[in-house]
């Protein structure tokens, strides 16, 4: 799979949040945080830009036969829908 720079950055941010979370409820990353930390070309990036980016990422992942990989919750943000187990 070929991911664009920002698609990869979103996936990486969600994986890092899952790794550092104490539980699944704390693994959400608010879209405003993603918009601030991603290098969008627009200086006025917002949650709409993040939502479109997540949709593109999910479309590519589903093209590989992946099931739902990202949960979204209004007011909380996005998180991985599956647990991340640290590498040994």
């Amino acid at each position: 799979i070929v991911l664009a720079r920002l698609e990869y950055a979103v996936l990486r941010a969600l994986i890092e949040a899952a790794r550092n979370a104490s539980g699944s409820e704390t693994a959400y990353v608010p879209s405003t945080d993603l918009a601030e930390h991603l290098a969008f070309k627009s200086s006025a990036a917002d949650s709409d830009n993040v939502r479109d980016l997540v949709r593109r990422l999910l479309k590519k992942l589903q093209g590989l036969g992946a099931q739902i990989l990202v949960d979204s919750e209004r007011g909380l943000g996005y998180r991985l829908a599956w647990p991340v187990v640290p590498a040994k």
Side-chain angles (χ1 to χ4, degrees):
I1 183 171
V2 176
L3 297 178
R5 180 180 49 86
L6 289 176
E7 293 165 347
Y8 176 79
V10 159
L11 185 57
R12 184 180 174 120
L14 295 176
I15 290 170
E16 288 299 318
R19 287 172 129 184
N20 297 326
S22 59
S24 63
E25 291 304 313
T26 60
Y28 283 100
V29 180
S31 59
T32 53
D33 287 0
L34 288 171
E36 287 177 14
H37 290 70
L38 296 174
F40 282 105
K41 290 182 180 178
S42 169
S43 62
D46 60 11
S47 59
D48 289 337
N49 299 104
V50 172
R51 183 181 64 241
D52 291 341
L53 182 60
V54 169
R55 283 183 184 164
R56 287 197 315 263
L57 173 63
L58 291 177
K59 186 174 181 180
K60 286 183 178 182
L61 294 173
Q62 288 170 346
L64 294 174
Q67 298 299 317
I68 296 175
L69 296 178
V70 176
D71 286 332
S72 63
E73 184 70 36
R74 182 175 224 109
L76 293 177
Y78 299 95
R79 70 173 178 180
L80 291 180
W82 40 272
V84 173
V85 178
K88 294 181 181 181

